[in-house]
Amino acid sequence: MYTQMKNNRSILPGLMISIIISFISQYLTHFIPNIGAALIAIFLGILLGNTFLNKPYLKSGTKFSEKALLEWSIVLNGMILDFQIIKQVGSIGFIFVILQMVLTILFAYWIGRTMKFNKKMSLLMGAGNAVCGSSAIGTVSPVIEADKKDKAMSITIVNVIGTILMVLLPILSSVLYQNEVVQTSALIGGTVQSIGQVVASAKLVSVDVTNLSIVFKLMRVLLIVGVALCFSKLNTKEEESLFSKTATSSTSEVKKNSSLMTVPWFIIGFFILFMLRSFLPLPSLMIHSSEVISNQFEITALAAIGLQVKFSDILKEGPRTMLYGLLIGFFQIVLAVVLITWMF
């Protein structure tokens, strides 16, 4: 009981700061409506998180705001969507996501090894960029027994590249697709690294793009199970072939790894509400309330994401590692544009 109360108190400062920034961001849209509350919240978070609010005691609260509020926001988005929107994606969208993910992982591994990064770092970068950023890296790290340094470095670089793509892709989509919903959603939802960054990026375009981008992104998140299973079969010893036989894991290690490969709770919640919305005549007030609450949670989570972006972390990783991340990001964009042109 005491530990729970202590944890709640540690979360409160970062959570309150994130909420305050979200309210300020929404107020500022009255003066700069073309930018939108999402982007203002992120930039305010980055600015304050690297100056006045660069405080260690805010960390647990901002992490909570990013993870918990964003997950609940995604659940509530299930109430906003219906089958008509999902039908816009269809089986073609699923094939697009699989091709985008597989080819990104292969490229990340190849370019990583070419640049003399170790196997585990290359695999972490592949999973983080192809699937869902830090969450994917956290899932596959114990599966391939990655060390803490590789895990920390890959999380930092993937988040930095995701932030760059988050701002760049809405601009690119306006040039290439005039912000057409399906193509823009495929580009953002199929490419940008973390769920928070996908939401932030799509918010800069439109509500319809935000909703469909989340669908593309959730497809990628669901496939983390397959990625983790595939990675568990690889040989990560530097001196041996990646596809050579690995030593049999102990029973406890297999159980530990398999326990990680579960469907995230917020995806289940999303689909439950999605099915309710699609098959039951829900009151318009309920749907509208879900949209309002989801939007507030999103902006608060995006403020928290901004607060966690540290320029010192970017500089610390060095130009070689940053170049590695940028090459993967560039490849993802080119691949997505080619696949969208071909498939949609």
Side-chain angles (χ1 to χ4, degrees), residues 62-108:
T62 53
K63 280 194 169 184
F64 170 83
S65 301
E66 176 191 356
K67 182 173 171 27
L69 296 184
L70 198 58
E71 288 175 350
W72 276 108
S73 173
I74 289 167
V75 171
L76 291 171
N77 263 295
M79 188 76 75
I80 302 166
L81 298 174
D82 59 24
F83 271 125
Q84 295 307 310
I85 295 176
I86 301 296
K87 280 169 68 176
Q88 294 181 62
V89 178
S91 58
I92 295 294
F94 193 67
I95 294 168
F96 163 78
V97 166
I98 291 175
L99 289 174
Q100 180 79 6
M101 286 177 59
V102 171
L103 294 174
T104 296
I105 290 171
L106 292 175
F107 178 81

Side-chain angles (χ1 to χ4, degrees), residues 292-321:
V292 171
I293 295 169
S294 174
N295 184 63
Q296 183 58 55
F297 281 0
E298 281 174 9
I299 297 171
T300 305
L302 298 177
I305 290 171
L307 286 165
Q308 293 178 75
V309 175
K310 304 299 180 190
F311 295 138
S312 58
D313 291 339
I314 299 170
L315 295 173
K316 184 174 67 178
E317 299 306 336
R320 176 169 161 266
T321 314

Side-chain angles (χ1 to χ4, degrees), residues 139 221-222 224-226 228 257-265 267-268:
T139 299
V221 176
L222 279 171
I224 186 57
V225 176
N257 290 344
S258 62
S259 69
L260 292 166
M261 295 177 242
T262 56
V263 177
W265 76 270
I267 293 183
I268 297 171

Side-chain angles (χ1 to χ4, degrees), residues 127-147:
N129 284 283
V131 189
C132 52
S134 306
S135 300
I137 292 170
T139 299
V140 302
S141 289
V143 173
I144 63 173
E145 299 178 346
D147 61 40

Side-chain angles (χ1 to χ4, degrees), residues 259-287:
S259 69
L260 292 166
M261 295 177 242
T262 56
V263 177
W265 76 270
F266 60 88
I267 293 183
I268 297 171
F270 171 88
F271 280 111
I272 289 172
L273 291 189
F274 167 72
M275 296 301 285
L276 288 174
R277 167 71 197 277
S278 299
F279 293 108
L280 294 177
L282 299 177
S284 57
L285 178 61
M286 182 183 292
I287 296 170

